[in-house]
Amino acid sequence: MPNNFETPPHLEQASHNPEAAVDQSSHSRVRVLAGRLALTLVLTAGASVGLVTGESAIHPEAAHAATTFTNDYPDAGAALYNQAHLDWWEDENKNGIADVTLNNENDNDESVSSRGYFYKNCTDGVAYWVNKYTGYVVPSGWGNAMDWDNHASVVTGISVYDGTTNNIEPGDIAQSDDGDYGHVGFVTSVTKDSNGNVTSFKTAELNQRDNGEYNVDTPNDYSNYGTRNASGKFARYDGKDWDHFIDVNGTNKGLNNEDLTTVSPPETVTTTLSRSSSGPISSILEPSNRRDIFVGTDSGKLDWSHFAPGESSWSTGEIASVSSAIKSVSSVLWTNGKLGVYFGTADGGLYESWYQPGGGWTTSLIANEGSSVNGIAAQVINSSSGHDEVDVFSGSSNGNVYETWWQSNASWTNSLIDATGSPVNAVALLRPGATAETDIFAGSANGQLSEAWWLGSGGWNSGVSANFGSAITSLVAMMYGNADTVYAGTASGALDEAYWSPGNSWNTTTPGSASTPLEAITGLTTSSNQVDILTGNSNGGIGERYWSAGANWAGGDITTLSAITLGMTNIQQASGERDVYSISGANTVVETYWVPTSSWVSHQIGTAGL
């Protein structure tokens, strides 16, 4: 099922181009995780296919192979003759005059290649690559790209699959009926999960944007496809998709007709993990670009997975074990490189696990709040004395919000900063600019958004910022200009927003709504002050909503998981790449990532049994 993320009638869709530089958003509560184990099968252009196991499969890579795809389309230098008719020409008779009859590929003039298709059109590129890498000669009579599936379907030995298929291999032709002429691409690599389901594939394409250019691995190439639409077909762009896949050289044959069955079959991986009912997950991106992901389970175990550039695989291990189910997790990076992970449990315990580079993990109980700790947000502040100070804010099922803090050469101190009157489901932290002010937001089971704030001196203040009328499941807070902005996922399926700026009162709006409950959200602001909110809901959908000044909210589905989406966290890299980790009720872990100027790509990175 798709995300069913509906746009209110007064909101219009707009184009989306996320900026490269981003700011790390506040921690938002997420609601389910069993653990993670990855098994990704990558079918590539080569004699051997790589089996990637463990967390290294977060970014599945093509295996090293005897054959790799190379774009050497021989007529890339053809000159433009008529853009409206998509005609390019080669001076075949060397007289400097274009012998071209517009839009007629049957007269063998200088706009038609020896393959029988117009130079630099998608059909001519694919005809060239198919012949080079499979030996099959695409008949010139196949015509426009939209007709290729029909012509291929009557050729003995060729298989034509519907766009929903998982029978996609390197060397196949991806075919679309969309547009005036349709479109085709040449499949260069395919990524499948452990169940044989295609999670993404890459294509070589010409004239994708009516410019005659080869678009693989260049800005706006859209050549890496990893998102299926509501029909189960891989989405292209602007509402287009791939309608068919044409296998010209037979099943289990790749580029150069290499036998894909020589690849070792996927291993059967059986792992027993304790499923968490609230899905605590948190992440850190270190200055070295090492990614750290922390996960808590119902059995009271806290796991750490980390991966750094230059490493061949993810490392995963247990770093703490307590006697009660872990309900919430937040993590911070100290200025001295120390990792701090703070987690709350069902019996009211609040714990710290910390790691100093070169040493081991140390875990201790820092407070007991008396009831289930359902939401946590932590921050590190480098004080005027040069020492790090830590604040941990937690919300409990008794409706209370607490601050637990630590200063150098002192013990942990815990105090009540707000009593909301309803069980707290989520907590978000906001520290506006470089000021000492700290704002803590709590989302409650009665739909109330509460705020507690501290202005750098004196005591805490508290109040109700909004009431969304439905249980708040998850929160994210950020600054937009000088405005405090909070986004809430709710049990009604609404994505609600509350915002405040100095001199004004709190206002609310609903950027969008889904047909099923939103279970998790995460978000960020870009360098151009664009807001991006990613949502996960109970039918497995992952959606995106985005907004910038002067524009309306827009967005829609990114991908759909196999079951209820119950947990999300994100990492933004300096390159602009955005990694969103989601957990579904089917105990699968999915990474959805975006690279600047490209589109969102999703793939399953793990499956675990309970």
Side-chain angles (χ1 to χ4, degrees):
M1 294 294 292
N3 192 16
N4 298 324
F5 210 82
E6 302 163 357
T7 302
H10 65 284
L11 300 181
E12 299 175 358
Q13 297 292 314
S15 62
H16 180 33
N17 183 22
E19 298 294 326
V22 295
D23 297 323
Q24 180 71 37
S25 67
S26 300
H27 169 77
S28 60
R29 189 173 80 96
V30 291
R31 296 172 58 87
V32 133
L33 179 69
R36 54 192 61 225
L37 184 64
L39 180 63
T40 301
L41 178 65
V42 182
L43 301 181
T44 69
S48 63
V49 174
L51 186 65
V52 185
T53 60
E55 291 271 7
S56 60
I58 280 183
H59 282 292
E61 297 180 354
H64 296 291
T67 300
T68 57
F69 175 83
T70 301
N71 172 36
D72 60 349
Y73 175 69
D75 299 300
L80 180 64
Y81 180 78
N82 187 294
Q83 178 67 60
H85 289 269
L86 303 179
D87 280 328
W88 288 264
W89 70 289
E90 290 271 19
D91 191 6
E92 297 169 357
N93 58 17
K94 309 302 180 183
N95 66 356
I97 301 174
D99 176 16
V100 174
T101 303
L102 286 179
N103 222 23
N104 185 348
E105 63 186 10
N106 297 316
D107 63 354
N108 294 317
D109 64 20
E110 291 182 330
S111 67
V112 179
S113 76
S114 60
R115 294 166 290 277
Y117 293 95
F118 292 118
Y119 287 122
K120 299 182 74 169
N121 275 227
C122 63
T123 47
D124 195 51
V126 171
Y128 172 76
W129 293 315
V130 165
N131 179 246
K132 175 183 177 180
Y133 285 102
T134 72
Y136 182 76
V137 177
V138 176
S140 60
W142 279 13
N144 292 327
M146 65 170 51
D147 298 318
W148 277 33
D149 59 307
N150 296 322
H151 289 291
S153 65
V154 298
V155 178
T156 302
I158 291 182
S159 299
V160 178
Y161 298 102
D162 181 78
T164 61
T165 186
N166 286 305
N167 295 318
I168 308 173
E169 298 169 340
D172 289 355
I173 301 168
Q175 185 269 344
S176 175
D177 295 329
D178 297 317
D180 294 333
Y181 306 105
H183 187 65
V184 286
F186 181 72
V187 178
T188 61
S189 68
V190 179
T191 302
K192 294 187 177 184
D193 64 19
S194 59
N195 298 315
N197 299 314
V198 175
T199 56
S200 66
F201 65 93
K202 289 186 176 182
T203 58
E205 301 173 45
L206 286 182
N207 204 34
Q208 188 181 62
R209 291 291 188 169
D210 296 340
N211 59 6
E213 298 301 315
Y214 172 75
N215 292 80
V216 173
D217 295 329
T218 58
N220 296 318
D221 61 13
Y222 299 93
S223 62
N224 190 354
Y225 301 95
T227 301
R228 292 185 187 262
N229 60 21
S231 300
K233 299 178 180 180
F234 281 96
R236 291 173 58 209
Y237 60 92
D238 296 344
K240 300 175 182 178
D241 55 22
W242 292 110
D243 292 294
H244 301 91
F245 292 90
I246 303 170
D247 185 354
V248 301
N249 62 344
T251 303
N252 293 321
K253 290 185 177 180
L255 302 192
N256 283 353
N257 297 312
E258 291 164 342
D259 187 357
L260 299 179
T261 62
T262 60
V263 179
S264 300
E267 300 173 6
T268 300
V269 181
T270 303
T271 302
T272 301
L273 297 170
S274 177
R275 178 176 178 176
S276 170
S277 59
S278 56
I281 181 171
S282 184
S283 56
I284 290 175
L285 179 65
E286 299 187 46
S288 64
N289 280 331
R290 185 173 77 173
R291 285 171 282 170
D292 302 293
I293 299 177
F294 303 96
V295 173
T297 71
D298 263 352
S299 64
K301 299 185 185 302
L302 181 68
D303 293 328
W304 174 38
S305 296
H306 53 92
F307 178 83
E311 295 179 346
S312 60
S313 64
W314 282 76
S315 298
T316 301
E318 178 186 314
I319 61 176
S321 180
V322 296
S323 60
S324 181
I326 298 175
K327 309 298 288 184
S328 52
V329 174
S330 183
S331 54
V332 297
L333 179 65
W334 294 43
T335 57
N336 63 1
K338 173 181 171 180
L339 295 175
V341 185
Y342 304 91
F343 60 96
T345 60
D347 64 359
L350 182 63
Y351 292 84
E352 178 194 40
S353 289
W354 61 271
Y355 170 84
Q356 189 72 44
W361 284 92
T362 300
T363 301
S364 59
L365 179 70
I366 60 176
N368 195 316
E369 299 180 0
S371 65
S372 181
V373 183
N374 296 331
I376 282 184
Q379 67 175 353
V380 170
I381 302 171
N382 190 248
S383 68
S384 57
S385 64
H387 297 287
D388 283 338
E389 300 177 1
V390 182
D391 285 310
V392 182
F393 301 95
S394 52
S396 301
S397 59
N398 62 8
N400 291 338
V401 180
Y402 298 91
E403 178 191 24
T404 305
W405 74 94
W406 176 91
Q407 294 176 316
S408 180
N409 300 318
S411 59
W412 285 94
T413 301
N414 175 268
S415 64
L416 176 69
I417 63 173
D418 194 11
T420 69
S422 177
V424 175
N425 291 334
V427 171
L429 181 154
L430 185 61
R431 195 157 187 245
T435 70
E437 179 182 347
T438 300
D439 298 324
I440 303 301
F441 300 94
S444 299
N446 64 358
Q448 178 177 288
L449 178 66
S450 301
E451 178 190 17
W453 66 96
W454 180 73
L455 300 177
S457 61
W460 283 88
N461 302 283
S462 62
V464 176
S465 301
N467 196 314
F468 296 129
S470 178
I472 296 173
T473 62
S474 46
L475 289 176
V476 63
M478 62 183 68
M479 290 298 298
Y480 189 86
N482 67 343
D484 294 3
T485 310
V486 185
Y487 298 93
T490 67
S492 69
L495 172 64
D496 288 317
E497 176 189 21
Y499 55 95
W500 173 91
S501 59
N504 296 295
S505 58
W506 281 94
N507 293 279
T508 61
T509 186
T510 301
S513 60
S515 58
T516 56
L518 293 186
E519 300 289 348
I521 64 174
T522 188
L524 55 102
T525 56
T526 70
S527 60
S528 62
N529 280 334
Q530 179 170 280
V531 176
D532 275 296
I533 305 297
L534 293 118
T535 63
N537 71 358
S538 62
N539 70 357
I542 295 179
E544 179 188 27
R545 305 297 291 170
Y546 48 90
W547 176 89
S548 57
N552 293 311
W553 280 96
D557 298 340
I558 291 177
T559 190
T560 302
L561 307 186
S562 59
I564 180 172
T565 305
L566 294 171
M568 299 179 78
T569 185
N570 74 77
I571 287 176
Q572 287 83 47
Q573 301 193 40
S575 64
E577 178 177 335
R578 189 174 309 160
D579 302 310
V580 179
Y581 300 97
S582 307
I583 301 94
S584 82
N587 305 302
T588 58
V589 182
V590 174
E591 181 192 42
T592 303
Y593 63 94
W594 176 88
V595 178
T597 72
S598 187
S599 54
W600 285 97
V601 175
S602 289
H603 55 263
Q604 178 178 315
I605 63 172
T607 304
L610 294 177

